[in-house]
Amino acid sequence: MIRNYLKTAWRNIVGNKFYAAINVAGLTFGLVIGLFMLLWVQDELSFDTFNKKGPEIYRIGIIGGTDVSKQIFTSIIAPVVPAAKNELPEVIDGVRILNVGSAPFKYKEKNFIEEHAAFADPSYFTVFDFPLVNGDKMKPFQDNNSVVITQTMSKKYFGNEDPIGKMVILGLNESLKVTGVMKDYPANSSIKFDFLLPISRYNQLAYLNRNVNYDGKTRVLSMDADWVNFSFETYLRVKPNTDVEQLTKKLRSIHERNRPEDAPVPYLAQPLYQMHLYKADGSNGGIETVRTFAIVAILILVIACINYVNLSTARSMLRAKEVSMRKIIGAGKLQLFMQFMIETTLLFTIATVLAIALMYALMPIYNNFSGKQLQVSAGNYQVWTYIVITLVGTLAASSIYPAVLLSSFEPLKALKGKVAAGIGNVAFRKVLVVVQFTVSIVLIIGTIIIGRQLNYIQKKDLGYDKENVFSLNMRDIKQHYDAFKNDLLKQPGIISITRAGGDIVNNNGWTGDNDWDGKPAKSNLLFHPIAADKDFMAFFKLKMKEGSVFTGAVADTTHFILNEAAVDAMGLKNPIGKNIRIQKMRGTITGVVKNFHYASMRKKIEPAVIYYRPEDCYKVYIKTTGTDAPKAIAAVQKSWKQYNNDTPFSYTFLDDSFNQLYKTEQRTGALFNVFSVIAIVISCLGLFGLATYSAQVKTREIGIRKVLGSSVTGIIRLLATEFVLLIVIAIFIATPVAWYAMDKWLQDYAYKTSISIWIFLLAGGSATFLALATISVQSLKAALANPVKSLRSE
Amino acid sequence: MTIQEAPMIKITNLEKFYRTEEVETIALNKLSIEIATGEFVAIMGPSGCGKSTLLNILGMLDDPDAGSYVFNDIEVAHFTERKRADLRKHNIGFVFQSFNLIDELTVFENVELPLIYTGVAASERVKRVEEVLDKMQIMHRRNHYPQQLSGGQQQRVAIARAVVNKPKLILADEPTGNLDSSNGNDVMELLTDLNEQGTTIIMVTHSEHDARYSHRIIRLLDGQSVMENIMV
């Protein structure tokens, strides 16, 4: 029986290659895109879940600042961990991580700048599931001069040699002995440090061996007693069923008891598993995108299923004779149902095989595109669960309806061709087409708006000039800045040079230690402090609203320039001349700079203070002419070698850092382009099927009309009108849906493009155009057919 | 050939209407007919007289609106679709004017199909299909598809398919309508042979020539039997 079904099914596919190809193509496209997206979703949701103790691990954060400057910090002070372990019975263990940032490492002749080095408590290896392939996880560091590295780093530095006991040099002369090698991090780990140094080493260097604190005040003897240094990413492992809200309250009271002047300082505890997709305060982060992608993936699969259902029911009238004969001969409903299920399954299997082959082939491109390292390995049961559920769901959705429809034909009517007109509930299939086009149009609108927002960000006047500027960390050039600068200014291609104590594209620095004339008692305003040189303002073409810029005079060390946002937040009417203190620096406000975007446009421009401190500037900015940029870089590299010896040279163009800032948006935009193209292609395939069906059903009507003198265009109009009507309905449904969704998406941006009516008109217009183009093929064929033939076939 | 006492088919006051929103057409009007086991009956009449409707009801493809239909002592007029289908597949074979072979199946597979649906074992199926193909002299075409055959050959395959399950009754709806006279005669000979071997045959036809192969002609007009001719 099954063999007979398979045989018929196979011959049906082979005998109708064109339709089979359309069906397989639609399903394959749908499956490839749907599966890719769902794998992406799966990967996003799987972040950090390899940590078995995850449900007991929380990242601790605090809320700082008031009003506009309110910020969530996920780096806190070091004493929290020992205090919590001592005082709170529910706390089992804690890990502190101090990110070193980029650091030069050296082994023999090999020099590298490493971006992922950190100090950490030894519990890093027991709280998290980061297994050591070499070394003792209970005692990963033998002493303060130990380092644990990943397998990849071991390969990079030592090749195939045994890394244990090898000495690497950090910076100029810090010798570190490799005492452990850890397995490389899973791609879905939020925490990824390649070099781990004992945090006790930091304690030794920054506290025990120092006579003064960083701010020159009283000396603090240990990091465990330093309640000011908010630098430690902190994780606590707690007993199961711990009341986390209570825990944060206790942490807060510990903090406020030890440092009453910080009060109020609300604490946050975020589950490890949520770190990747939610912000530290529990609000939505990446989960929004994950949800969007999951919905879009399912919609694309639905479109593909609808496409199949439409095409196969459209073609079912041609199968009516066969079905009737089978029934007359003795086939039962169930047998016929099974036959059509098997047919769909066969076709679906072809599509699945093609889809999986395509996915394998496209995986590298997709990974590059999406910034993932997805792979479908045999052992990854989570991935396979997603794949199997997707396949079974799609198969069920596309097979059952046609099978029920076909198997319930009444043989007599079917044999006489009477089923044709009433087949498969035409209204139902029209609804399906409307659904398909609604989804497609929503995606087109989404694509246009995301594109416009990206364009808006690219084109928006940032308030500073980043054209042809590249920057680098000076390291040892810092002490020889003037010589370095004078030398380079003589080089062709270099226009001007300045230096600053921070990143102008994406400034992450904060300070809450401040005061000014008339500061309200309860205010805890945070500023972005930007250390600058005298030519900083001119270099970036920052515009002053009032007051004056730095001149390089000694007096400038007591001068402060605020941005408009700062002035507003401070509530100052006439800021010039007012006294201000930022940390230990005291002076007066001498200027107000117009707002400029020194962070992502997702956020409103926040208060910033620019102060004159050449010695705090560690970053140099170099402006070149566009064409001579390579020469300029070569010249800078030559100078670099002179001051920094073997330390690898690296630089970044501000345009690149700027793009990096919006990488997620750019990815989302690119992916949405693909989504909407695929959605519209599959929808058009489905429409093509419906047009074919309609032309077939109306063969006789068309024949009669032609005999009576209708023109070809008249016939095309007859066939096209009903479809255009469906598209128009889809446009009307899609418009509010897309408007709502995209308005919500744009709310993430403080600075955003507008949603204007032409976008909807464009999306609707292009969908209509594509649909018409699709229909016209079939309509034209029907209209040009010889009416004698079509009438005779009745 | 013996005609038994108890009729195979006994219909009494059979009625069938076709309704559209405004018009009701009477297809069968209180029709009563008896057909004995082993008979070869031709049904004739002008277009629209109810011939095909009658054949469909006799073949249990359709149910009557009123009246009684007793098939082999079983009242089937109000059987459910499923029960009718079950009775049909074991007792009745169909031959159509337009052959109605399944294009995707070969000659052999087309003939095999009824055996598959009645659950005959594979080895038995091969035997029986070959036997019947042999009898229809179409064995050499067993692996061809319907489109590769002439009309006459296609109708032989259709008859082979109708008889492979050894039905007690064959219903033929203008079996020679799409054939030339020579092929038509061959088909009529085949049906006659089958009848002589004991199969009851009811045939709808427009052709007086074909009707002469039967034992009895029932003439219908406006859903009623107007005349019966017993053939000599």
Side-chain angles (χ1 to χ4, degrees):
Chain A
M1 188 82 87
I2 299 275
R3 250 189 62 202
N4 184 275
Y5 293 160
L6 280 173
K7 208 153 53 185
T8 326
W10 177 247
R11 287 179 194 160
N12 246 307
I13 292 171
V14 174
N16 298 288
K17 289 193 190 74
F18 178 66
Y19 280 100
I22 288 185
N23 264 334
V24 168
L27 279 174
T28 307
F29 287 150
L31 282 175
V32 168
I33 295 296
L35 279 173
F36 265 145
M37 295 326 302
L38 288 176
L39 286 184
W40 185 91
V41 167
Q42 190 274 335
D43 186 70
E44 287 288 304
L45 293 176
S46 77
F47 260 73
D48 301 313
T49 50
F50 61 88
N51 286 295
K52 302 245 159 43
K53 295 183 280 290
E56 300 166 12
I57 303 172
Y58 292 85
R59 180 173 67 177
I60 308 301
I62 58 161
I63 299 173
T66 46
D67 305 323
V68 278
S69 71
K70 192 166 171 177
Q71 298 288 331
I72 292 157
F73 293 97
T74 51
S75 288
I76 60 164
I77 43 179
V80 169
V81 166
K85 275 162 77 175
N86 272 338
E87 296 180 33
L88 309 176
E90 64 266 43
V91 174
I92 302 171
D93 209 345
V95 186
R96 290 166 297 183
I97 303 168
L98 177 70
N99 194 340
V100 175
S102 68
F105 281 85
K106 191 157 123 182
Y107 174 70
K108 290 186 179 162
E109 265 67 63
K110 293 179 186 169
N111 286 284
F112 299 105
I113 298 263
E114 297 299 349
E115 302 292 337
H116 303 286
F119 294 102
D121 281 310
S123 52
Y124 185 86
F125 299 98
T126 50
V127 169
F128 302 114
D129 288 67
F130 299 143
L132 292 177
V133 291
N134 226 326
D136 178 6
K137 74 170 180 178
M138 301 312 290
K139 203 177 179 309
F141 309 114
Q142 281 169 8
D143 53 33
N144 281 350
N145 300 320
S146 302
V147 63
V148 174
I149 61 176
T150 56
Q151 282 179 305
T152 301
M153 288 302 134
S154 170
K155 264 247 144 61
K156 179 170 161 187
Y157 283 80
F158 313 114
N160 290 325
E161 291 173 42
D162 180 8
I164 300 293
K166 291 267 182 338
M167 305 297 289
V168 290
I169 312 287
L170 166 60
L172 290 178
N173 52 11
E174 297 180 47
S175 281
L176 298 169
K177 187 160 99 183
V178 178
T179 57
V181 176
M182 57 189 304
K183 220 176 133 186
D184 281 331
Y185 293 90
N188 59 357
S189 179
S190 299
I191 303 168
K192 280 181 182 170
F193 293 104
D194 295 322
F195 287 77
L196 286 149
L197 289 73
I199 208 153
S200 49
R201 177 184 180 84
Y202 174 75
N203 190 36
Q204 186 191 0
L205 298 176
Y207 295 90
L208 305 180
N209 297 355
R210 266 206 199 168
N211 292 325
V212 283
N213 192 354
Y214 72 99
D215 65 355
K217 287 188 197 161
T218 24
R219 185 182 161 204
V220 180
L221 289 176
S222 148
M223 66 178 191
D224 289 349
D226 188 343
W227 294 84
V228 178
N229 184 3
F230 288 83
S231 305
F232 302 88
E233 208 175 302
T234 300
Y235 298 85
L236 292 180
R237 184 186 161 208
V238 298
K239 288 185 181 152
N241 305 320
T242 296
D243 182 339
V244 178
E245 214 183 305
Q246 282 303 316
L247 175 73
T248 55
K249 282 186 183 143
K250 289 177 191 169
L251 293 172
R252 173 178 177 166
S253 70
I254 290 175
H255 187 131
E256 290 175 358
R257 191 181 72 222
N258 284 281
R259 217 179 129 76
E261 58 267 51
D262 279 356
V265 44
Y267 266 69
L268 300 165
Q270 181 179 33
L272 179 70
Y273 288 170
Q274 289 191 9
M275 246 168 60
H276 180 63
L277 293 175
Y278 296 85
K279 293 179 188 154
D281 60 352
S283 63
N284 287 340
I287 191 74
E288 296 268 18
T289 315
V290 170
R291 282 193 196 125
T292 309
F293 278 21
I295 292 170
V296 171
I298 290 169
L299 286 178
I300 286 197
L301 287 170
V302 166
I303 286 186
C305 291
I306 289 179
N307 183 28
Y308 179 85
V309 170
N310 260 344
L311 271 173
S312 51
T313 50
R315 285 199 16 84
S316 63
M317 61 176 280
L318 304 175
R319 307 281 305 266
K321 190 186 105 179
E322 176 201 339
V323 174
S324 322
M325 266 330 286
R326 284 178 184 270
K327 278 202 161 179
I328 289 170
I329 287 169
K333 218 170 165 170
L334 184 70
Q335 286 166 320
L336 283 170
F337 178 80
M338 285 311 294
Q339 181 190 333
F340 291 112
M341 288 297 282
I342 283 171
E343 261 192 54
T344 307
T345 310
L346 185 66
L347 205 76
F348 196 81
T349 309
I350 297 172
T352 304
V353 169
L354 282 175
I356 289 181
L358 255 174
M359 281 177 74
Y360 266 103
L362 295 175
M363 194 64 98
I365 299 170
Y366 180 67
N367 277 339
N368 192 15
F369 201 56
S370 64
K372 289 262 174 220
Q373 297 165 41
L374 298 178
Q375 48 181 354
V376 183
S377 57
N380 195 340
Y381 77 95
Q382 272 184 322
V383 166
W384 283 106
T385 312
Y386 268 70
I387 293 179
V388 168
I389 289 177
T390 307
L391 291 178
V392 171
T394 315
L395 175 60
S398 50
S399 61
I400 292 174
Y401 177 71
V404 167
L405 179 78
L406 276 162
S407 58
S408 56
F409 280 169
E410 286 186 45
L412 257 188
K413 288 185 189 155
L415 207 54
K416 286 184 187 154
K418 278 188 185 160
V419 214
I423 219 176
N425 201 341
V426 176
F428 174 70
R429 300 212 277 118
K430 284 183 177 168
V431 169
L432 292 185
V433 171
V434 170
V435 171
Q436 279 188 314
F437 273 86
T438 304
V439 172
S440 303
I441 294 166
V442 168
L443 287 175
I444 294 174
I445 294 171
T447 307
I448 297 175
I449 292 177
I450 293 172
R452 269 171 61 84
Q453 175 65 10
L454 286 174
N455 192 45
Y456 174 87
I457 291 170
Q458 295 285 352
K459 295 276 158 67
K460 185 168 194 315
D461 180 15
L462 297 173
Y464 70 90
D465 177 24
K466 63 176 168 54
E467 210 63 27
N468 298 321
V469 175
F470 65 95
S471 75
L472 45 124
N473 287 338
M474 288 191 278
R475 300 201 172 276
D476 291 343
I477 295 170
K478 214 173 138 187
Q479 293 85 347
H480 313 280
Y481 175 74
D482 288 328
F484 169 81
K485 178 181 173 184
N486 291 332
D487 184 30
L488 281 180
L489 280 178
K490 290 180 206 140
Q491 302 294 328
I494 295 182
I495 299 170
S496 54
I497 297 179
T498 192
R499 56 182 163 169
D503 192 340
I504 192 160
V505 176
N506 190 19
N507 190 296
N508 288 318
W510 285 105
T511 176
D513 185 7
N514 55 55
D515 201 1
W516 66 86
D517 286 352
K519 180 179 181 178
K522 275 281 162 200
S523 168
N524 188 9
L525 195 68
L526 301 179
F527 289 91
H528 287 272
I530 302 172
D533 199 359
K534 62 176 187 291
D535 41 18
F536 178 79
M537 310 293 282
F539 181 93
F540 284 113
K541 301 195 180 121
L542 293 168
K543 294 185 190 70
M544 295 300 286
K545 189 184 172 210
E546 55 183 315
S548 52
V549 297
F550 304 128
T551 57
V554 181
D556 272 346
T557 52
T558 60
H559 294 164
F560 294 89
I561 297 174
L562 301 177
N563 68 350
E564 291 170 295
V567 174
D568 289 346
M570 292 157 82
L572 294 177
K573 285 270 144 31
N574 296 300
I576 306 293
K578 293 271 180 353
N579 290 313
I580 185 168
R581 175 182 69 80
I582 300 292
Q583 294 170 338
K584 59 183 172 173
M585 303 175 291
R586 289 169 188 280
T588 53
I589 301 165
T590 54
V592 177
V593 65
K594 286 195 168 172
N595 277 342
F596 59 101
H597 289 276
Y598 56 84
S600 166
M601 285 190 213
R602 283 177 181 270
K603 293 196 281 188
K604 265 211 134 31
I605 295 176
E606 290 164 342
V609 55
I610 303 171
Y611 60 98
Y612 179 73
R613 273 297 181 292
E615 65 272 24
D616 283 359
C617 299
Y618 62 90
K619 237 183 162 122
V620 63
Y621 293 90
I622 299 158
K623 190 174 180 68
T624 80
T625 62
T627 43
D628 283 334
K631 276 187 202 160
I633 292 165
V636 174
Q637 185 167 17
K638 213 173 136 203
S639 276
W640 171 273
K641 268 211 120 78
Q642 195 182 327
Y643 299 106
N644 281 321
N645 297 321
D646 293 337
T647 310
F649 171 72
S650 75
Y651 64 91
T652 327
F653 272 94
L654 296 195
D655 278 331
D656 293 337
S657 337
F658 181 80
N659 285 334
Q660 194 66 30
L661 205 55
Y662 302 103
K663 208 164 178 173
T664 321
E665 284 84 347
Q666 281 164 356
R667 268 185 195 143
T668 312
L671 286 170
F672 256 81
N673 273 327
V674 176
F675 291 161
S676 39
V677 167
I678 293 290
I680 196 88
V681 165
I682 301 177
S683 301
C684 282
L685 282 176
L687 191 63
F688 183 74
L690 198 67
T692 311
Y693 162 79
S694 186
Q696 280 166 348
V697 171
K698 291 190 173 155
T699 307
R700 190 157 169 270
E701 181 185 342
I702 293 167
I704 294 170
R705 278 173 188 268
K706 280 191 85 173
V707 169
L708 294 177
S710 172
S711 65
V712 172
T713 40
I715 302 258
I716 292 177
R717 200 180 308 129
L718 168 81
L719 288 169
T721 313
E722 69 171 293
F723 293 114
V724 171
L725 192 71
L726 297 184
I727 309 296
V728 169
I729 294 172
I731 293 172
F732 274 105
I733 301 173
T735 300
V737 173
W739 186 85
Y740 173 79
M742 294 319 292
D743 187 59
K744 217 167 158 235
W745 183 79
L746 281 176
Q747 274 166 19
D748 251 11
Y749 295 85
Y751 304 92
K752 57 197 172 207
T753 175
S754 56
I755 301 180
S756 41
I757 189 81
W758 69 261
I759 297 172
F760 299 96
L761 293 176
L762 177 67
S766 41
T768 312
F769 172 77
L770 284 170
L772 272 177
T774 310
I775 298 162
S776 59
V777 180
Q778 279 301 319
S779 305
L780 201 64
K781 218 166 101 185
L784 292 174
N786 183 350
V788 177
K789 255 186 187 169
S790 51
L791 287 178
R792 194 170 49 201
S793 75
E794 277 292 302
Chain B
M1 185 188 71
T2 53
I3 298 175
Q4 292 170 359
E5 284 303 305
M8 173 186 251
I9 288 166
K10 183 169 196 278
I11 59 172
T12 319
N13 290 330
L14 208 62
E15 290 185 285
K16 182 76 184 174
F17 313 104
Y18 291 113
R19 294 180 190 86
T20 61
E21 271 169 35
E22 284 164 15
V23 193
E24 186 177 274
T25 319
I26 301 176
L28 295 178
N29 190 3
K30 294 191 186 301
L31 182 69
S32 301
I33 292 172
E34 281 189 23
I35 294 166
T37 303
E39 258 198 293
F40 186 161
V41 176
I43 298 175
M44 299 190 74
S47 285
C49 71
K51 300 186 298 285
S52 293
T53 306
L54 175 62
L55 203 66
N56 289 333
I57 292 174
L58 292 178
M60 299 177 209
L61 294 172
D62 206 353
D63 51 353
D65 291 318
S68 145
Y69 172 16
V70 176
F71 181 85
N72 275 342
D73 293 332
I74 307 167
E75 174 60 69
V76 298
H78 304 293
F79 263 27
T80 59
E81 154 105 39
R82 178 188 285 255
K83 272 180 154 174
R84 288 207 310 257
D86 206 47
L87 204 59
R88 183 170 69 224
K89 73 177 167 190
H90 288 105
N91 292 291
I92 307 174
F94 291 86
V95 177
F96 296 92
Q97 175 179 0
S98 50
F99 326 132
N100 284 336
L101 297 173
I102 293 174
D103 295 337
E104 287 77 22
L105 300 180
T106 63
V107 165
F108 183 94
E109 288 158 357
N110 262 292
V111 177
E112 185 191 21
L113 208 53
L115 298 176
I116 292 178
Y117 288 130
T118 43
V120 176
S123 54
E124 172 73 9
R125 289 206 299 264
V126 176
K127 210 181 96 203
R128 276 170 61 180
V129 173
E130 284 179 349
E131 204 177 281
V132 72
L133 285 179
D134 210 31
K135 204 157 95 184
M136 299 293 150
Q137 296 174 0
I138 198 89
M139 192 62 177
H140 59 295
R141 294 285 201 173
R142 57 178 289 171
N143 289 326
H144 288 78
Y145 286 90
Q147 312 88 281
Q148 299 168 309
L149 305 181
S150 72
Q153 287 170 326
Q154 287 193 46
Q155 196 60 300
R156 279 164 192 274
V157 177
I159 294 171
R161 184 179 62 183
V163 302
V164 72
N165 238 343
K166 301 190 173 140
K168 297 186 181 73
L169 172 66
I170 286 181
L171 298 174
D173 193 351
E174 301 208 35
T176 64
N178 281 5
L179 301 176
D180 60 34
S181 61
S182 151
N183 274 315
N185 286 342
D186 285 354
V187 164
M188 289 316 299
E189 293 294 342
L190 270 175
L191 291 176
T192 309
D193 286 352
L194 286 169
N195 177 248
E196 280 169 1
Q197 283 154 34
T199 313
T200 310
I201 294 178
I202 303 174
M203 172 180 75
V204 163
T205 183
H206 274 119
S207 152
E208 293 288 347
H209 171 81
D210 288 358
R212 258 178 251 133
Y213 286 88
S214 68
H215 305 146
R216 179 157 65 114
I217 301 174
I218 298 174
R219 293 186 190 271
L220 294 188
L221 185 66
D222 296 338
Q224 285 176 307
S225 169
V226 291
M227 197 199 291
E228 291 200 18
N229 312 59
I230 308 291
M231 308 302 291
V232 185

